[in-house]
Amino acid sequence: MPPYAPAAEAPPLPAADTAPAPSRRWIWLAAWPVVAVLALSNEPAPLYVLWQRQLGFSSATLTLVYAFYIAGLLGTLTVAGTLSDRYGRKPVLLPGLGLGVAAGVLFMTAHSVPALSLARLLSGVAVGAFLSAGLAAVSDVADRADKRLAGLVASSSMVGGAAVGPLLTGVLSETLPGPSVTVFAVQIALLLAALPVVLRMPLPQRARAGGAAGGGRWIRIPNAPRANRRQLLLGLAVFAPGIAATGFVLSLGPSLLAELLHTSSRILSGATIFVLFAAATGVQFAARRLRTRTDLLTGAALTVLSMALLVLAVAATSVAALLASAVLAGLGQGLSQLGGLTMLAADVPAGRLAEANAAFTAGGYLLAGVLPVAAGTLSDATTLTTGTTVFGVTVTALVAAGALAVIRGTRDS
């Protein structure tokens, strides 16, 4: 993602902490709404095969539905981080919860591709709000000494929610009547349970700017402060290809699994995605004492291994290789995400942290939207095997280049 230089960058707005320092438990409590909303991000994935059969759409259409999610997320990240840093986290988080509920209702009643696309769009908006303001809120409630813990909890809450959603979908949709209705009724309940936590977060109040003219543009490409842009770009160089790899599993993974196993089991596809993101969550706790440079380089190596196994899986029609590829993709994303978010949480001023998180997330999800859609289009024009192979080779080249940039651009810190 290229650096962005506004014509006149406004200084960070002061933050006045009007409450006593919150206890460490608020780091964990503040992460709960992030988990609840991020569950919505991946919950539709196991149902794609069902919707595809009912509505009769192609692999390219399936990835385009996923692209609506990416569009909503990226569009939100252009404004959510700036608004959150300027006016506070809650004015962004509360509408995000409301749009998440609206997306759940649409998923419950969707009987057409446009309805699914709109639901995906709204879920992307909700997730974008929490990937900027929600992750920053976790850091806000932490003391300076707990910033690394806050970075770990914020990053793991993101992938933890992403892990829980598809497993919940797979189990509920196979064991209870009304697959989509049951799943999203439970999801709406989770979002409503997160509401009191958001309302009670002991967050600092920010000085209000006098409108857009008083503090710069509201809608702009999110970025980190100039002093931190090198860190942002180095993190993205590894994280973006890593999350593109997991995006492939989310969009085309169930179709590939069905082709290899000749089954459309939603429990199996949901469990595959759960294992991917559970690996991404677990590895962050296991690596919590590693240096950020080590996180990024190890994440890059694991992503390369994941893509090698993905190509092997389709060439040899090996389910074991496909599952191993999914796990390694999760490990790679988890480590690269932890490294990037930890660098930002440790060094970016609080008044720009939500925007920096938004820039990091936007850069990753932009690639995660483009590459799977391209792979789906190529798969329709040729075969799923060809599309998957080209995707794997492309991600390998990108993440190798990112690792080289990290080696050249960082010290062992």
Side-chain angles (χ1 to χ4, degrees), residues 161-240:
V164 169
L167 182 64
L168 189 69
T169 298
V171 173
L172 292 180
S173 67
E174 289 277 9
T175 58
L176 296 176
S180 59
V181 173
T182 303
V183 167
F184 292 105
V186 172
Q187 174 59 39
I188 289 170
L190 293 176
L191 294 173
L192 293 177
L195 177 61
V197 177
V198 173
L199 290 172
R200 296 185 61 189
M201 278 185 196
L203 296 172
Q205 294 181 350
R206 306 200 176 277
R208 292 181 178 271
R217 286 174 288 177
W218 284 13
I219 300 176
R220 64 180 185 179
I221 299 173
N223 209 340
R226 286 190 177 94
N228 305 108
R229 286 175 189 168
R230 176 171 163 273
Q231 296 162 305
L232 172 65
L233 293 173
L234 288 175
L236 275 175
V238 177
F239 172 65

Side-chain angles (χ1 to χ4, degrees), residues 28-47:
W28 300 94
L29 286 173
W32 157 241
V34 179
V35 173
V37 173
L38 265 291
L40 179 63
S41 68
N42 292 336
E43 268 177 340
L47 296 172

Side-chain angles (χ1 to χ4, degrees), residues 40 68-69 72 96 99-100 102-103 106 117-127:
L40 179 63
F68 269 89
Y69 164 75
L99 290 174
L106 279 171
S117 299
L118 179 58
R120 246 355 212 150
L121 180 71
L122 293 181
S123 66
V125 174
V127 170

Side-chain angles (χ1 to χ4, degrees), residues 237-238 241 395-407:
V238 177
V395 169
T396 297
L398 290 173
V399 78
L404 183 60
V406 170
I407 291 170

Side-chain angles (χ1 to χ4, degrees), residues 10-351:
L13 290 166
D17 223 335
T18 59
S23 64
R24 179 175 283 195
R25 72 185 180 92
W26 265 107
I27 297 176
W28 300 94
L29 286 173
W32 157 241
V34 179
V35 173
V37 173
L38 265 291
L40 179 63
S41 68
N42 292 336
E43 268 177 340
L47 296 172
Y48 282 153
V49 174
L50 176 63
W51 284 321
Q52 195 172 17
R53 185 171 65 247
Q54 291 176 344
L55 302 177
F57 53 80
S58 65
S59 294
T61 300
L62 191 155
T63 54
L64 284 173
V65 170
Y66 177 71
F68 269 89
Y69 164 75
I70 300 296
L73 188 151
L74 293 178
T76 302
L77 291 176
T78 63
V79 63
T82 303
L83 290 177
S84 173
D85 285 336
R86 191 174 301 169
Y87 296 111
R89 312 306 184 203
K90 293 179 185 179
V92 175
L93 297 177
L94 291 173
L97 279 177
L99 290 174
V101 171
V105 172
L106 279 171
F107 277 125
M108 290 173 68
T109 58
H111 297 292
S112 67
V113 171
L116 285 177
S117 299
L118 179 58
R120 246 355 212 150
L121 180 71
L122 293 181
S123 66
V125 174
V127 170
F130 276 79
L131 288 181
S132 52
L135 297 184
V138 177
S139 181
D140 283 349
V141 300
D143 291 331
R144 183 69 187 175
D146 287 329
K147 288 299 181 182
R148 181 165 180 88
L149 174 63
L152 170 64
V153 172
S155 184
S156 60
S157 67
M158 175 180 170
V159 289
V164 169
L167 182 64
L168 189 69
T169 298
V171 173
L172 292 180
S173 67
E174 289 277 9
T175 58
L176 296 176
S180 59
V181 173
T182 303
V183 167
F184 292 105
V186 172
Q187 174 59 39
I188 289 170
L190 293 176
L191 294 173
L192 293 177
L195 177 61
V197 177
V198 173
L199 290 172
R200 296 185 61 189
M201 278 185 196
L203 296 172
Q205 294 181 350
R206 306 200 176 277
R208 292 181 178 271
R217 286 174 288 177
W218 284 13
I219 300 176
R220 64 180 185 179
I221 299 173
N223 209 340
R226 286 190 177 94
N228 305 108
R229 286 175 189 168
R230 176 171 163 273
Q231 296 162 305
L232 172 65
L233 293 173
L234 288 175
L236 275 175
V238 177
F239 172 65
I243 199 170
T246 57
F248 177 89
V249 176
L250 291 174
S251 57
L252 287 178
S255 297
L256 186 58
L257 194 62
E259 183 171 291
L260 291 176
L261 282 181
H262 306 290
T263 179
S264 58
S265 169
R266 295 186 291 277
I267 292 180
L268 184 58
S269 61
T272 301
I273 298 169
F274 170 79
V275 169
L276 183 159
F277 285 103
T281 305
V283 74
Q284 293 183 54
F285 284 94
R288 64 186 182 277
R289 289 186 172 86
L290 295 180
R291 300 178 186 274
T292 54
R293 185 175 189 266
T294 304
D295 290 337
L296 292 171
L297 293 178
T298 306
L302 291 168
T303 301
V304 169
L305 288 175
S306 169
M307 294 299 95
L309 284 173
L310 180 65
V311 173
L312 173 64
V314 296
T317 62
S318 169
V319 175
L322 178 62
L323 296 177
S325 173
V327 171
L328 288 172
L331 294 173
Q333 180 194 326
L335 283 175
S336 60
Q337 180 178 298
L338 174 62
L341 286 177
T342 299
M343 284 195 298
L344 296 178
D347 296 322
V348 175

